[in-house]
Amino acid sequence: MRDVRILLLQARDQDDPMRREERISFATKAGLDLAQFVPHDLLGGPPTLGQIRAHDAMMVGGSGDYYVSKRNLPAFDELLDVLRDVIEVGYPVFASCFGFQLIVAALGGSIVHDRSAAEVGTYELMLTETGVQDELLGTLPRRFRAQLGRKDRAATLPPGVAHLASSERCPYQALRIPGKPIWATQFHPELNVVENRARFIRYMDGYALTEDIDRDRIFERFVASPHTAALIPRFLELIR
């Protein structure tokens, strides 16, 4: 897969060390060289559909200080327009966390800022019956652990999307656009426990403000999530 090029949309400030770490995490999980993941800084505006289609697939990760619920990313509405175009043409996409929320918002679902239901650490998720049958998510056990770090969540999914997974705190954890190679997860399959813990440390001040977050006990929530590491390689197999 040395010829594969992935466009990675990122919403992180220039001085945020997680910009590079996120790119490394995606490349490592994909089994690709770092140079094969081409970053696009969303703070400068969204890419055009033409720029996106010059790559083999697009991936979207998390965000630092930007929230779909607050719409505080520059050119937010323009980005949603581009995502709708990408979905319409059926271009291959894998999106996690912030990317999941963007797709939900672009298609008419609702994203809310809900600190009381924040998920920071490693949590158990459950596949829906639709998820069990899905060619990507269905490779996971019915119950599996996943890395999370979020305060926003989907309150409703858009009409017509496939609901694939849930957790105790968050009913909507994964979706697919039916008939198209487009998946999104609220959790982070690109992160392992060490990487997620490092990300929490980087953004600790923001997370510490949420309800039910105890700095002295939070690290106990971070444990291994071995099954989700296979999702990104499987996605690449499916689109090839």
Side-chain angles (χ1 to χ4, degrees):
M1 298 181 68
R2 294 294 180 182
D3 59 334
V4 171
R5 294 175 74 249
I6 308 296
L7 186 66
L8 178 62
L9 306 191
Q10 294 188 286
R12 299 185 186 277
D13 294 329
Q14 291 288 335
D15 60 352
D16 187 341
M18 290 299 116
R19 281 167 59 98
R20 176 174 171 78
E21 295 303 317
E22 179 175 60
R23 188 174 164 219
I24 291 172
S25 294
F26 269 101
T28 300
K29 299 305 178 301
L32 302 178
D33 293 335
L34 187 61
Q36 292 176 266
F37 269 77
V38 181
H40 179 90
D41 184 2
L42 289 174
L43 274 64
T48 66
L49 184 59
Q51 289 174 318
I52 295 169
R53 298 183 78 170
H55 302 79
D56 295 288
M58 182 174 77
M59 296 190 184
V60 191
S63 67
D65 299 316
Y66 301 94
Y67 295 86
V68 172
S69 63
K70 299 179 181 180
R71 306 172 69 91
N72 62 341
L73 183 72
F76 182 82
D77 289 330
E78 290 86 344
L79 175 58
L80 296 190
D81 287 339
V82 169
L83 289 175
R84 283 187 283 267
D85 290 342
V86 167
I87 293 166
E88 177 66 26
V89 301
Y91 179 82
V93 176
F94 187 93
S96 68
C97 197
F98 185 70
F100 169 87
Q101 295 160 9
L102 285 172
I103 288 177
V104 169
L107 295 179
S110 61
I111 299 295
V112 296
H113 193 68
D114 185 0
R115 294 184 173 188
S116 66
E119 290 174 308
V120 183
T122 314
Y123 290 79
E124 184 179 70
L125 275 60
M126 296 76 70
L127 293 178
T128 65
E129 289 303 316
T130 302
V132 170
Q133 301 301 319
D134 184 71
E135 57 189 324
L136 178 59
L137 271 289
T139 60
L140 298 172
R142 282 181 176 264
R143 290 181 176 268
F144 60 95
R145 291 173 177 169
Q147 303 300 325
L148 283 120
R150 60 150 200 89
K151 295 188 285 292
D152 276 5
R153 65 173 177 85
T156 61
L157 288 184
V161 305
H163 174 210
L164 304 180
S166 64
S167 70
E168 184 177 336
R169 285 175 169 249
C170 181
Y172 306 118
Q173 287 279 3
L175 64 82
R176 183 186 180 175
I177 308 302
K180 297 181 179 180
I182 301 172
W183 286 268
T185 64
Q186 178 60 81
F187 59 95
H188 287 278
E190 78 277 13
L191 296 182
N192 60 32
V193 59
V194 175
E195 293 163 330
N196 197 24
R197 187 185 295 117
R199 187 169 294 186
F200 168 70
I201 292 171
R202 165 65 180 85
Y203 299 119
M204 183 180 289
D205 288 343
Y207 284 128
L209 296 176
T210 65
E211 185 178 335
D212 194 33
I213 299 297
D214 183 340
R215 290 191 188 209
D216 295 330
R217 299 184 59 189
I218 182 63
F219 293 104
E220 297 176 6
R221 295 186 184 175
F222 292 87
V223 297
S225 54
H227 294 106
T228 59
L231 287 180
I232 292 175
R234 172 65 175 161
F235 166 76
L236 294 175
E237 290 177 6
L238 290 172
I239 67 171
R240 297 277 287 180

